[in-house]
Amino acid sequence: MFGEHFITFQGEGSHLNLVGAPVIVGKDDFQGVQIAASLLCKDFAAVTGHQPEYVSYATNTGISCPIDDAIIVGSLQSSLVQNIIRESELAIDDIQGCWEAFFTIVVEKPLQGCKRALMIVGSDKRGAIFGIYTLSEQMGVSPWYWWADVVPTPRSQIFAKQSRTRRGSPSVKYRGIFINDEAPSLTGWVLEKMGTCYGVEFYEKVFELLLRLKANFLWPAMWPGYPNPGNSFFKDDPLNQKTADIWGIVISTSHHEPMQRAMAEWFEENPEGSWSYLKSKEKIQQYFKDGAERAHPYESYITIGMRGDGDRAMAVDDPASVLAEIIKDQRRIIADTYGSADQPRQLLALYKEVQEYFENGLEVPEDVTLLFADDNFGTIRRLPTSDEAERKGRAGGRIWQQLYEAYRRGADQIWVFNVGDIKPLELPLTFSMELAWNVNSIATDDFMTFFKAFADREFSPSISEAVAELLYGYDRLIALRKHEHIESDTFSLLNYSEAENIIADWKSLLDRAQSLYSNVQSVNQPAFFQLVLHPIKASYIYTKLRVGQAKNQLFALQRRNEANVIAQEVLRLFDEDFDLSEEFHHLLGGKWNHMMRQPHYGYRETWHAPSRDMISGLCFVQTRQDSNPISGYMGVAVEGTEGIRPGLTNEESDRTHPSRKDLVPGLTLPTLEPFGQQSRYFEVYRRGTSSLTWHLKTPYDWLIVSPSTGILDDKNNDSRITVKINWLEVPFDFQQTVQIEVSSTVGDYEHVHLPITNRNPPDDSFSGFMESDGSVTIEASSFCRPARNELHASNYQILPFLGRTRSGVVTLSQSVHPMSATNSEFLEYDFWTFSEYPRQAILTIYFTMTLDTSPKDPLCFEIMIDDCSSGSLRLIEDPGITGDLPPGWLLAVQDGVWKKNIDIGEMTRLKKGSHIIKLRIWQQNLLVEKLVLNLGGVRDSYLGPPESTFVSRRQG
Ligand SMILES: *[C@@H]1O[C@H](CO)[C@@H](O)[C@H](O)[C@H]1NC(C)=O
Ligand SMILES: *[C@@H]1O[C@H](CO)[C@@H](O)[C@H](O)[C@H]1NC(C)=O
């Protein structure tokens, strides 16, 4: 996607026009190169409407008829390429011996009978293949053209640029995917479209996709179960393994399938046989041997080690020593088969307990690649220490930061991504593969360039800016929390308008996506639907439905008529979700039938997907029934609370009197103050069969309610009233709870209580964040010092596209050496408190979810309040058992953040006035999102309070 273009669509007569030029490939070149060359011809047909001739060139026969212009492709190993290099004296030293590199050049008279050619020359088989697909991509054929129905822009002229270009080698040597959890979606689709199993017809599509993405590595589908005995790449279709090798894909097997055998094979061959090395040693050794021998002719990466039954730890007394023995035996088998114990390449997955054995001294041969796992949520659990990074086998490794961190720490041998069904992960997989190819291709502060490049490639440049904005907006919203962990009560319905704001953000994104969708050309709509509209719409529906469930429950407790309306809306969204999946399935005559079949709702019981969608807990009120007369027809609910006591108003008084005593808190709004949130709201609602008119009365002119009167009837069961203050007219020292009277034409009468505190502005010389509502909240990237324009000279950097915040996260610069990190300057945040010696002062720092990846170097930071230091604090508690996940992991990983509480009261007593929070961090894997100082007013919510008001110095 990135890198210099060697073609152009605008040229002059003298330029080499590739349209119509035959594609020439050496007859003795790798079969995989020949396949790529023939697909290149098809790509030309798709772009130009004209399929070029495919010429298979044998040195002894030459080209049969004279041609002017040609495209010559091949590896350095083909005699065609070798001849031309020799005859035309082409320099090749910048790719010779390189891994998967290629160059392009225009050569005059490369062959007898050919005037001119664009040559694409690979250092090896995949170098040539990647070169060929780079040409395809540059002409507009997306790697996803088949997988996401991306239609190239038609071209009538494609010119080769004169200059030589070079590409390679990749940052990560083996890059690829793990097809996993593939039932029911992918499996349903494969069985319908590709015959009876995961055979070569399916895998050729996968191989082609991987190579077009410049990937080279695959852990094939291996899901056990329906249809029994589960998927086996090696057995389902005897051609699979051989074909992978021909195409150029390195086959390996997942973390618990040793020696190039699919787990399903064992169960098929040994329905009774126990998968226990101690009990079935001979049988298992033979099984290993068969795997090694079968893989021998093909390019393979052999997984060694062994886990217990069902991908669990081995159930033996001393699993570590059994594992050591197994590895020794496997090495012997490999040596017997291949003639050497360290050929071919091998990997050991340090997954769960295996990581623990490893930390405790399990010996792993030097050449074996250590594959460090994530926590199933994209957080890398362990990375090489400096010694391990020097290993001959090197180390293989959600996001840019985790990948970049992996690379920076030396995990540059294998990156394998669990992509589930492949669809609909087009964007993240593209992102990962671009980064694996060139880890510097996507800059920390410039993901827009990536989104734009992706949008450019998949759609026409005329809409790519708008598409990039949508993809970016989606990426930011999806980062808040994974859908499967969003429950009805995840986002706060009552505090900080959190749920409402999130829904509004999704809605605005969806509106933009939908309007763009209706404007794109119809040939591009299927791709737009798959890559842009569907994910946004699905997310909107899902989030809205979850919030609707919460609203329905709350409204029902309040006995609102509207509860039933919301219940219907939830059911409508539930159907809309299914309709959307159906729309996906019906697209293009059913091409992607089954792909969205995985249930979306009802994941509570286990990690397994439920069998079908289920939502629970909808509530209804009997709207034909009137409320008890002492409760009245009209209810009032204020921001921040569920209601007086849900369902109950005025129970103890007659209905001409307002709520008193313990009912008052349920009608009290959060405070309004000049440096805080500038509006509050409450709602009046109908809870009976009568229609009514309501009126508001406020005690002061500067207290503005809008609207101040309205009607509740069958057309309108709810009204929201916004409350604001004209501060200029509020008396200087005003501090009082005022009452807003609400009355109705059917006799209801209630008071809404609103605390108002006027505040003196701070000294003119102060700049910083202002306390309001009992808290100070600051986004980490809003530090006051170092100065923004001098950030580059500091130890810190902002990653603007990370985390749950709007403005990104702060971390240590990639270039800071660990030795000097402990002397880093502090990030400083100025703030002002109005509270004098507050009873409570808890600082909560939100850190993006990461894990200690180095056993001896845990993630640490330090806080200072003014001049008092917390000393060094560890972010994550010790797991107890080495290799285990730390306490609190499950919550943190779902939230995407660690929330670290520090009792400031224990460090200092805060006085009214100006203060500084200072923070420094000591590792690159620490990412700070936001700081919340709770002085007693913070309300529960998912994201925490919005950022406090910042005032700037007022003097000259
Ligand atoms: C208001 O509530 C009544 C009674 O439940 C219902 O019939 C009506 O449809 C609701 N109005 C709206 C606009 O939802
Ligand atoms: C709002 O905040 C209050 C105070 O922290 C809390 O008790 C309540 O559960 C929160 N409500 C919601 C819906 O988040």
Side-chain angles (χ1 to χ4, degrees), residues 561-562 565 623 686 713-717:
N561 287 9
E562 191 76 0
V565 178
T623 52
R686 228 175 137 216
D713 59 14
D714 272 353
K715 290 204 261 355
N716 187 23
N717 289 302

Side-chain angles (χ1 to χ4, degrees), residues 403-511:
L403 294 176
Y404 195 88
E405 181 72 3
Y407 177 78
R408 202 180 60 82
R409 297 267 297 274
D412 60 1
Q413 178 73 11
I414 305 175
W415 281 5
V416 55
F417 296 88
N418 180 339
V419 293
D421 301 317
I422 301 179
K423 284 186 81 64
L425 296 186
E426 295 90 347
L427 183 79
L429 185 54
T430 303
F431 184 87
S432 313
M433 289 305 138
E434 287 297 332
L435 218 50
W437 178 261
N438 175 4
V439 77
N440 294 314
S441 59
I442 303 165
T444 44
D445 54 354
D446 196 10
F447 284 16
M448 266 327 254
T449 303
F450 166 76
F451 289 126
K452 177 84 169 33
F454 182 80
D456 250 346
R457 187 178 75 186
E458 318 304 350
F459 305 102
S460 84
S462 63
I463 59 165
S464 62
E465 198 81 48
V467 169
E469 291 286 342
L470 292 170
L471 296 173
Y472 167 65
Y474 175 76
D475 192 63
R476 299 305 293 140
L477 281 172
I478 210 84
L480 297 181
R481 192 178 180 87
K482 292 202 169 60
H483 289 335
E484 59 267 38
H485 300 131
I486 297 178
E487 295 292 341
S488 57
D489 56 0
T490 300
F491 303 128
S492 178
L493 201 55
L494 295 169
N495 298 327
Y496 309 120
S497 301
E498 183 173 78
E500 217 169 295
N501 290 342
I502 292 170
I503 299 286
D505 286 349
W506 276 119
K507 179 74 170 58
S508 119
L509 198 64
L510 176 59
D511 288 347

